[in-house]
């Protein structure tokens, strides 16, 4: 499952920043083009974080919509469930992706005290 691999990747990033402190919360931005199912990611995260991290490490996922910009007419189009990379204004396929590829840790909340 794709979400398990992402959770492991995320745990490595969080672990590096936590420096042995308890992790309370993790804010994550995930782009639509990553094709992540938030529920599946949360489920995978529960298993992964328990084996790797100290603390609750509650995962807050913000989904970032996928937006493309047309190189022909300059219109911006938001990509829906069906990944159709065409300008909705002029139907050109000469587009550039503006957002939607994010997999980014925005913030990590850690406890101020070091664990004994
Ligand atoms: Zn266009």
């Amino acid at each position: 499952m794709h979400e398990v691999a992402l959770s492991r990747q995320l745990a490595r990033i969080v672990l590096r920043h936590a420096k042995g402190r308890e992790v309370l919360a993790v804010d994550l931005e995930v782009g639509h083009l990553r094709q992540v199912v938030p529920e599946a990611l949360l489920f995978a995260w529960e298993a992964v974080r328990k084996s790797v991290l100290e603390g609750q490490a509650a995962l807050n996922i913000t989904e970032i919509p996928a937006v493309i910009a047309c190189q022909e007419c300059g219109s911006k189009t938001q990509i829906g469930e069906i990944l159709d990379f065409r300008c909705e204004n002029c139907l050109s396929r000469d587009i550039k992706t503006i957002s939607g590829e994010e997999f980014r840790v925005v913030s990590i909340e850690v406890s101020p005290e070091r664990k004994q």
Side-chain angles (χ1 to χ4, degrees):
M1 198 165 79
H2 164 67
E3 281 81 4
V4 173
L6 286 174
S7 291
R8 293 211 179 102
Q9 187 187 333
L10 178 60
R12 275 196 297 274
I13 298 167
V14 174
L15 197 59
R16 195 163 64 230
H17 287 89
K19 298 188 169 76
R21 289 167 294 186
E22 267 189 58
V23 179
L24 305 177
V26 178
D27 289 326
L28 182 72
E29 283 182 349
V30 180
H32 181 62
L33 299 177
R34 290 284 181 155
Q35 296 284 284
V36 167
V37 179
E39 292 75 23
L41 183 58
L42 286 171
F43 186 77
W45 175 247
E46 275 306 294
V48 171
R49 63 106 184 151
K50 272 181 197 153
S51 64
V52 179
L53 299 169
E54 298 285 343
Q56 275 295 101
L59 184 61
N60 304 309
I61 301 170
T62 303
E63 291 178 83
I64 307 293
V67 178
I68 56 171
C70 180
Q71 305 293 87
E72 300 278 338
C73 74
S75 293
K76 287 180 183 164
T77 304
Q78 185 171 327
I79 306 285
E81 284 307 306
I82 299 162
L83 300 180
D84 183 5
F85 293 87
R86 255 183 317 186
C87 172
E88 67 182 1
N89 184 46
C90 72
L91 302 181
S92 169
R93 290 183 183 277
D94 185 10
I95 55 92
K96 198 168 71 180
T97 304
I98 296 180
S99 70
E101 287 170 342
E102 296 81 357
F103 186 78
R104 185 162 60 209
V105 177
V106 181
S107 67
I108 301 169
E109 196 185 328
V110 294
S111 71
E113 302 285 316
R114 271 186 181 276
K115 250 195 148 216
Q116 303 297 323

